[in-house]
């Protein structure tokens, strides 16, 4: 294992430890096991708990994007020529996908273990918890792919990590602003799938439509990034 892979493994391990400690802190006053759907929904609260929607627009995407920035290929003409422009661009977006999957695994693992530890085992079996778990896991991957693709697209345009990070962070915060003050949440509504499932407000058609919209935006961002980089003067 080379040094870069070791550093990435350390970063993801630190994130796992951090999320576990944060989740444990939130459960510090909850010693009883949930025995009803309402109690389980409270544990998975999307407004104040571990699965807080605000964190999905601010802290979490910032962390994932910063980790992703450590995995970018060197801005080296020799590397670009070796791979070719298309593959060079594709490798950046593949890194974004990989990091989105990693985050979803780490986040979901901590979320589900915490909920399982503080709820009735009978309730899990009765409510078939694994179905919404899978829907939520897929929604997290797609949502974080969209956010990391935004960062990669700006990076390929500007070619400066710091500026691309700041612009991306501003866009993520802008999405939260639209949700918080104007209730505009169509693009990211799938992140709340667990909460809506247990409150009986989840619509499969709306979930599917939202997923399609996100995937279309992701595809558009990929083609924009590829087109931008094809025209870029890299021989500096």
């Amino acid at each position: 294992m080379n040094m870069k892979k070791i550093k990435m493994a350390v970063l993801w391990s630190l994130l796992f430890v951090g999320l576990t400690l944060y989740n444990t802190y939130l459960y510090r006053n909850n010693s009883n096991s949930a025995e009803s759907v309402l109690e389980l929904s409270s544990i998975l609260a999307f407004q104040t708990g571990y699965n807080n929607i605000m964190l999905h627009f601010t802290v979490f995407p910032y962390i994932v994007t910063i980790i992703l920035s450590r995995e970018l290929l060197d801005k080296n003409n020799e590397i670009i020529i070796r791979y070719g422009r298309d593959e060079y661009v594709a490798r950046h977006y593949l890194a974004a996908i990989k990091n989105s999957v990693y985050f979803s695994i780490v986040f979901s693992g901590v979320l589900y273990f915490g909920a399982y530890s503080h709820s009735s085992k009978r309730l899990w079996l009765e409510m078939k918890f694994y179905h919404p778990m899978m829907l939520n896991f897929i929604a997290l991957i797609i949502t974080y792919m969209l956010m990391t693709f935004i960062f990669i697209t700006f990076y390929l345009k500007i070619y400066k990590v710091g500026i691309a990070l700041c612009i991306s962070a501003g866009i993520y915060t802008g999405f939260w602003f639209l949700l918080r003050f104007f209730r505009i949440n169509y693009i990211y509504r799938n992140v709340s799938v667990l909460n809506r499932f247990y409150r009986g407000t989840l619509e499969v058609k709306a979930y599917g439509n939202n997923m399609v919209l996100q995937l279309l935006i992701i595809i558009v961002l990929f083609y924009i990034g590829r087109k931008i980089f094809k025209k870029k003067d890299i021989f500096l």
Side-chain angles (χ1 to χ4, degrees):
M1 183 180 292
N2 60 38
M3 186 56 66
K4 190 171 185 177
K5 289 183 178 180
I6 292 175
K7 289 181 179 179
M8 296 303 296
V10 169
L11 287 174
W12 285 111
S13 297
L14 289 173
L15 178 60
F16 172 76
V17 171
L19 289 176
T20 301
L21 291 174
Y22 175 61
N23 195 40
T24 302
Y25 171 78
L26 292 177
Y27 282 126
R28 68 193 185 283
N29 295 322
N30 186 1
S31 58
N32 299 321
S33 294
E35 296 289 345
S36 67
V37 177
L38 181 60
E39 288 178 314
L40 182 57
S41 181
S42 296
I43 288 177
L44 300 171
F46 208 68
Q47 298 300 324
T48 58
Y50 172 78
N51 201 23
N52 189 327
I53 190 170
M54 184 184 73
L55 299 179
H56 284 297
F57 286 88
T58 52
V59 178
F60 294 153
Y62 300 165
I63 293 173
V64 176
T65 305
I66 290 172
I67 293 176
L68 172 60
S69 71
R70 308 300 300 175
E71 201 171 351
L72 299 176
L73 294 174
D74 293 335
K75 293 185 291 185
N76 186 305
N77 292 338
E78 184 179 330
I79 292 177
I80 297 172
I81 293 172
R82 185 200 313 163
Y83 289 137
R85 288 181 183 248
D86 285 345
E87 184 176 348
Y88 183 84
V89 169
R91 282 174 177 263
H92 282 82
Y93 284 111
L94 284 173
I97 294 172
K98 182 178 70 174
N99 280 270
S100 299
V101 172
Y102 285 174
F103 174 78
S104 300
I105 291 173
V106 172
F107 179 87
S108 299
V110 175
L111 171 66
Y112 302 147
F113 180 78
Y116 185 78
S117 301
H118 292 81
S119 62
S120 165
K121 311 306 180 284
R122 172 190 57 78
L123 183 61
W124 274 62
L125 294 174
E126 289 180 359
M127 295 307 301
K128 298 179 179 179
F129 187 69
Y130 302 101
H131 296 165
M133 272 174 50
M134 185 54 64
L135 291 177
N136 189 70
F137 178 68
I138 294 171
L140 281 175
I141 293 175
I142 301 301
T143 299
Y144 279 85
M145 278 177 57
L146 196 159
M147 288 191 275
T148 53
F149 270 46
I150 289 173
F151 164 70
I152 293 297
T153 301
F154 276 104
Y155 171 72
L156 292 173
K157 171 63 177 177
I158 303 168
Y159 228 37
K160 294 184 182 298
V161 174
I163 297 177
L165 282 172
C166 291
I167 294 175
S168 301
I171 292 174
Y172 305 155
T173 305
F175 286 139
W176 164 244
F177 181 85
L178 290 174
L179 172 64
R180 177 68 177 80
F181 296 101
F182 298 98
R183 302 299 179 185
I184 300 175
N185 69 334
Y186 188 72
I187 294 178
Y188 291 101
R189 67 186 303 176
N190 278 354
V191 183
S192 63
V193 63
L194 278 177
N195 200 29
R196 287 186 288 118
F197 180 87
Y198 285 108
R199 293 186 182 279
T201 58
L202 176 64
E203 298 178 3
V204 177
K205 183 179 180 180
Y207 176 90
N209 289 341
N210 185 260
M211 192 72 68
V212 170
L213 175 61
Q214 287 181 312
L215 288 171
L216 286 174
I217 295 174
I218 287 169
I219 292 171
V220 169
L221 287 170
F222 171 73
Y223 279 103
I224 289 175
R226 192 172 71 166
K227 186 173 182 179
I228 286 173
F229 200 73
K230 275 188 175 182
K231 296 180 178 180
K232 193 173 189 64
D233 181 10
I234 60 174
F235 300 101
L236 302 176

